[in-house]
Amino acid sequence: MTTTHDRDRRAFLAACTTALLLAGHAISTGSACADEGPAKGELPWTLYDGVSIPVPPAEHPRLYLRARDLADLRRRVTAPATKGFWEKMQAAAKNDRALAVEVDALRYLLEPDAELGRRTVAAALDLLTNTEFDMQQQDVTRPIGRLMVTGAVVYDWCYPVLTAQQKKSYLEQFLRLAHSLECGYPPPRTHAVTGHYSEWMLMRDLLSAGLAVYDEFPEMYQVAANRFFGVFAPVRNWWYPGHAFHQGTSYAETRCSAELYPLWIFARLGAGAVYDPALQYLPYQWIYLRRPDGQLLRSGDGQGKAPKLRSLLNASFYHDPYVLADYQRSPSIDSKSLLFAFLWTDLELQPQPVADLPLSRYMGSPYGWMVARTGWDEESVIAEMKINIFNFNNHQHLDAGAFQIFFKGPLAIDSGVYSSYGDAHDANYNKRTVAHNCLLIYDPAEKFARGNRSLRSDGGQKLPNDWREPKSLDDLRANYVTAEVLGQGFGPDPQRPAYTWLEGDLTRAYGGKVREVRRSFAFLNLGQGPVRAALVVFDRVVAADPAFKKYWLLHSLERPRVDGATITIAPEQRGWKGKLVNQVLLPRQAEITAVGGPGKEYWVFGENFPVASARSDPAEQEYGQWRVEVSPLRAAAADHFLNVMQIMDRDATPLAVAGIDSDDQPGVRVGDTMIIFARAAAPGRGPIRFESLGTRVLVTGLAAGVWQVLRDGHPIQPTITVSPEAGTLWLEGPPGRYELQR
């Protein structure tokens, strides 16, 4: 009996045959594309559906390598940098049929053997035809796409032994699998910023299969290249100059690795580098967030992971010795990625110690993030400060203004656990502002919702564009702005800075319930004394209604100790030995409360959202179940928060701290260092007067230009330049009465 399924399948196969014929006609008549301008790289480029794409060379192999690369390929079998990958591939192939045919395809390239080639072609076609997938499985697109890669490798590398019938059968299977991908076929022209479509489906799977069958069916490559150059590349070239990744460290392996495939595919094809060269520095975010235990400070969903394929391929393409050094701390390549590590690892590159790098690093637009360190060893303090110029949603959190501190253990932490995407804990706590070291402004009438689903009001930042994922670069730039960086810099020594400064306007992140939210960070590297560093956070908050209660949050793994205006965090799990002592200077009259413990681990204004399960290794999971809330005792529209966090060993005593009360220039003294903040939003133009009782002074909020410094009425620095990026001035000298003039 003929079923509907049988008729649909016959119709589909007939359509594949017709597609082959029509594609050949389109190429011969030029109806699908027209020539365009000068060539890029060594290949000609052409217009396809309004987008310029490179024309693949009329030769095989051309996927991941070309004939000119075969001598290098043979060298890789025994080269120290890649010999291990080759051996691991062969070992893994014993238990993985897909890897086995890839290894055989490599052997065919290394030493062509027609019989080996025919066996490999038949084996791969059998896999494409008969592998069954559970279409109800979450993320089933990933194994489907990886099987397409296996088929593409065999088709391209064993091309001389393919029969006409086999070519037709391969194409039928590629099209069938392409239609079953989450993105569908042909793939869409939008939503290439976040989500599963921003992973391998187009940038590896469709591009690979399309290049393999280009001679017989150019459409798949043309459509994939059209989407890549028209949609994917522009938005990535926009965010790469920020030198960071917006979807968190856990998703970096999936999404940043995926972005590296087109980089290598088109470079090996002969089209040149297809991305902004700033991509080279994206892995530096992970270098700076790396803890001495090898993990990363938490960022976005999930746990921080060891560097894998993303770092190796980036280091190899850009010949970057620091990124390679970070990868080699804990090298790990999954079996499905061994092929690409073998093909593309830079054989000559040698690591350079990351200790040669500056201790502070700023990550610019669209991020506005800063990381400051006191060193690169186990005695190092690491502090992260975030402004979040844009919020991309998906796996990025609502954490504009957040900070983290690590020293011999996690001290000030990101709370929450990535359990199941969008579950009660994730949507009401983990991704929300309440789970971070941020500010809350609680409007009891404020509503939060995702689509038709009501969410708990946490008093935090609004959901950008109703928490919808950005459709395009234009959509992202128009609807996902959350903050503005007002100043950033570090110095005076750029290699080992004494101070690191970051300031931002977070007003847009909180929506209409506020008139102004500004947060300033000043990180002080205090050397190798008992107190290693200090992070000073100064906030100006003006609510739309004086009745809206304001909260300053500090999260910890274990129960903090609150003694008046002093908060102490000293976790003891896993042998941790660091301590953080925070002194609340503003507001002067404050309610300081520890929140957490059984039944209140993830508390959101009257309701707890416990963790259902954790995706990451339980041995590495750090459950932050406590926080301190600092609130003004009296209701007012405008409030200031000034907190001084000192970081030290468990048995150390904090330095003396004192506030500096001034209508125009509030500030703080930490030991022998003074920090002066600008209360006004506009940059200060002077004259600015203060009395220093220490030896070091950081003055912030200054207008750009040339300033003069006087002490006790006498000029000591007739010309000192304040940059527009930082708006800060650093002074070192004896106590006295100082005046700054423009």
Side-chain angles (χ1 to χ4, degrees):
M1 181 174 66
T2 302
T3 66
T4 301
H5 174 76
D6 294 329
R7 289 193 297 270
D8 289 345
R9 178 168 177 79
R10 286 202 299 270
F12 177 77
L13 296 180
C16 292
T17 304
T18 303
L20 281 168
L21 298 173
L22 290 177
H25 174 72
I27 291 298
S28 65
T29 62
S31 62
C33 53
D35 290 339
E36 184 224 32
K40 303 174 185 177
E42 66 183 66
L43 296 179
W45 288 60
T46 189
L47 277 178
Y48 181 82
D49 199 12
V51 175
S52 183
I53 65 173
V55 179
E59 64 179 64
H60 294 275
R62 60 181 171 225
L63 178 62
Y64 310 148
L65 78 169
R66 289 176 61 179
R68 62 192 176 197
D69 301 310
L70 292 180
D72 173 75
L73 183 67
R74 296 184 181 97
R75 179 186 172 201
R76 289 173 179 272
V77 172
T78 56
T82 49
K83 179 182 177 182
F85 297 136
W86 176 238
E87 292 171 347
K88 289 179 181 178
M89 285 173 61
Q90 294 180 88
K94 296 177 181 178
N95 300 305
D96 188 317
R97 292 179 60 204
L99 287 180
V101 297
E102 291 175 10
V103 167
D104 285 342
L106 264 174
R107 290 197 179 103
Y108 178 82
L109 280 182
L110 291 167
E111 190 172 345
D113 177 327
E115 181 55 33
L116 171 62
R118 284 190 286 270
R119 289 200 309 269
T120 304
V121 164
L125 182 56
D126 180 67
L127 280 173
L128 290 175
T129 305
N130 296 313
T131 299
E132 296 183 357
F133 297 95
D134 177 5
M135 300 308 294
Q136 303 305 312
Q137 174 191 336
Q138 186 178 18
D139 300 334
V140 68
T141 278
R142 293 170 181 170
I144 291 174
R146 186 58 182 84
L147 183 60
M148 292 178 68
V149 168
T150 298
V153 162
V154 173
Y155 191 101
D156 181 63
W157 294 356
C158 300
Y159 190 81
V161 301
L162 283 169
T163 66
Q165 180 56 45
Q166 286 174 327
K167 292 177 183 178
K168 178 183 175 184
S169 297
Y170 266 86
L171 177 57
E172 291 170 354
Q173 297 308 316
F174 284 141
L175 284 169
R176 179 182 65 84
L177 293 171
H179 278 278
S180 68
L181 295 174
E182 186 178 321
C183 66
Y185 184 86
R189 301 175 189 268
T190 61
H191 291 93
V193 181
T194 59
H196 294 166
Y197 187 36
S198 70
E199 298 171 359
W200 294 298
M201 281 183 275
L202 185 126
M203 290 191 285
R204 184 194 63 190
D205 308 336
L206 287 173
L207 269 179
S208 296
L211 270 174
V213 301
Y214 179 77
D215 298 335
E216 292 73 33
F217 181 63
E219 179 195 275
M220 184 173 288
Y221 165 78
Q222 290 168 334
V223 169
N226 171 277
R227 305 300 190 261
F228 174 74
F229 287 102
V231 180
F232 281 70
V235 68
R236 284 157 180 78
N237 287 335
W238 176 76
W239 76 55
Y240 285 153
H243 297 177
F245 181 62
H246 47 82
Q247 293 292 281
T249 52
S250 182
Y251 273 80
E253 181 62 20
T254 301
R255 295 185 178 170
C256 294
S257 294
E259 293 168 8
L260 294 173
Y261 283 93
L263 181 70
W264 278 98
I265 286 171
F266 286 111
R268 282 293 181 95
L269 196 65
V274 295
Y275 289 131
D276 187 304
L279 169 57
Q280 173 180 352
Y281 302 103
L282 191 151
Y284 280 64
Q285 176 194 8
W286 309 317
I287 292 175
Y288 277 81
L289 292 179
R290 182 82 55 207
R291 302 178 350 183
D293 62 4
Q295 293 193 50
L296 299 172
L297 293 188
R298 305 306 182 233
S299 177
D301 283 339
Q303 296 284 104
K305 294 184 178 180
K308 294 186 179 181
L309 185 69
R310 63 179 189 262
S311 294
L312 179 60
L313 294 189
N314 184 291
S316 295
F317 191 90
Y318 293 108
H319 316 295
D320 192 308
Y322 299 112
V323 178
L324 180 64
D326 188 51
Y327 164 77
Q328 289 186 346
R329 283 181 57 108
S330 180
S332 175
I333 302 292
D334 67 275
S335 62
K336 294 294 188 181
S337 298
L338 288 168
L339 172 66
F340 306 102
F342 176 72
L343 292 174
W344 294 333
T345 293
D346 186 332
L347 299 181
E348 313 301 334
L349 185 63
Q350 296 299 314
Q352 189 79 7
V354 298
D356 293 346
L357 296 171
L359 290 178
S360 293
R361 188 172 185 86
Y362 176 64
M363 288 152 272
S365 186
Y367 307 109
W369 300 342
M370 183 77 81
V371 178
R373 307 178 63 106
T374 61
W376 298 95
D377 59 13
E378 293 184 355
E379 297 290 319
S380 302
V381 177
I382 312 168
E384 179 196 41
M385 300 152 270
K386 302 176 81 169
I387 298 299
N388 285 4
I389 301 172
F390 286 79
N391 191 302
F392 290 65
N393 287 340
N394 199 216
H395 295 290
Q396 185 177 359
H397 291 184
L398 302 169
D399 60 354
F403 60 87
Q404 294 184 79
I405 301 172
F406 183 96
F407 174 64
K408 297 183 178 180
L411 300 177
I413 67 164
D414 268 2
S415 182
V417 178
Y418 182 43
S419 48
S420 177
Y421 186 86
D423 71 4
H425 174 83
D426 187 51
N428 291 283
Y429 186 83
N430 176 56
K431 286 184 169 67
R432 303 286 289 283
T433 312
V434 68
H436 303 83
N437 298 316
C438 291
L439 292 161
L440 302 181
I441 300 93
Y442 189 76
D443 171 6
E446 186 176 21
K447 304 296 183 184
F448 288 85
R450 187 172 193 173
N452 296 324
R453 176 186 175 190
S454 294
L455 302 175
R456 194 74 177 177
S457 175
D458 71 332
Q461 295 157 21
K462 64 179 184 178
L463 315 178
N465 204 19
D466 293 325
W467 238 357
R468 291 188 291 267
E469 295 186 22
K471 296 179 181 179
S472 64
L473 177 56
D474 289 342
D475 183 29
L476 177 59
R477 296 173 70 174
N479 298 309
Y480 295 82
V481 181
T482 53
E484 176 187 2
V485 172
L486 301 176
Q488 58 83 18
F490 46 85
D493 182 347
Q495 192 73 14
R496 301 187 65 82
Y499 77 91
T500 301
W501 168 253
L502 180 64
E503 182 178 25
D505 184 338
L506 315 179
T507 308
R508 293 183 65 167
Y510 288 88
K513 64 185 174 185
V514 300
R515 298 288 179 260
E516 181 184 27
V517 180
R518 291 160 62 90
R519 170 158 279 194
S520 305
F521 300 99
F523 178 85
L524 301 176
N525 183 346
L526 300 176
Q528 295 300 309
V531 178
R532 305 302 178 87
L535 178 64
V536 180
V537 181
F538 179 50
D539 299 295
R540 312 157 181 84
V541 185
V542 182
D545 185 330
F548 296 167
K549 193 167 183 179
K550 309 174 188 74
Y551 299 84
W552 187 94
L553 303 183
L554 177 61
H555 286 268
S556 60
L557 283 170
E558 299 175 11
R559 182 169 192 156
R561 188 172 76 246
V562 178
D563 300 303
T566 301
I567 303 163
T568 302
I569 296 172
E572 298 180 351
Q573 300 175 32
R574 308 178 193 180
W576 293 326
K577 298 178 180 178
K579 182 171 71 175
L580 179 153
V581 178
N582 178 54
Q583 286 160 289
V584 181
L585 300 181
L586 293 176
R588 289 185 181 85
Q589 293 183 316
E591 178 184 1
I592 304 175
T593 306
V595 178
K600 282 194 172 183
E601 301 93 335
Y602 309 106
W603 188 253
V604 186
F605 290 101
E607 186 174 356
N608 195 46
F609 293 93
V611 179
S613 62
R615 293 187 176 204
S616 52
D617 183 351
E620 295 183 351
Q621 185 68 58
E622 294 165 3
Y623 292 88
Q625 300 177 353
W626 285 91
R627 69 174 181 264
V628 175
E629 299 177 347
V630 179
S631 296
L633 276 177
R634 295 181 180 177
D639 283 291
H640 291 82
F641 296 84
L642 179 56
N643 287 267
V644 179
M645 288 166 277
Q646 299 184 60
I647 300 97
M648 63 200 82
D649 282 303
R650 184 71 51 82
D651 57 355
T653 301
L655 301 171
V657 170
I660 301 170
D661 189 12
S662 168
D663 290 339
D664 297 324
Q665 299 292 137
V668 65
R669 189 174 70 253
V670 185
D672 67 351
T673 304
M674 176 185 291
I675 304 170
I676 296 177
F677 298 98
R679 192 183 297 272
R685 297 184 177 276
I688 295 171
R689 301 179 181 91
F690 57 89
E691 184 173 358
S692 171
L693 301 178
T695 59
R696 310 190 308 174
V697 182
L698 174 64
V699 185
T700 72
L702 299 177
V706 177
W707 289 70
Q708 182 183 47
V709 181
L710 297 86
R711 183 177 65 243
D712 298 330
H714 302 288
I716 59 171
Q717 287 183 284
T719 60
I720 183 169
T721 301
V722 172
S723 73
E725 295 80 18
T728 59
L729 190 151
W730 177 263
L731 302 172
E732 296 187 15
R737 295 182 179 275
Y738 284 78
E739 182 174 328
L740 309 181
Q741 300 177 352
R742 288 190 81 210

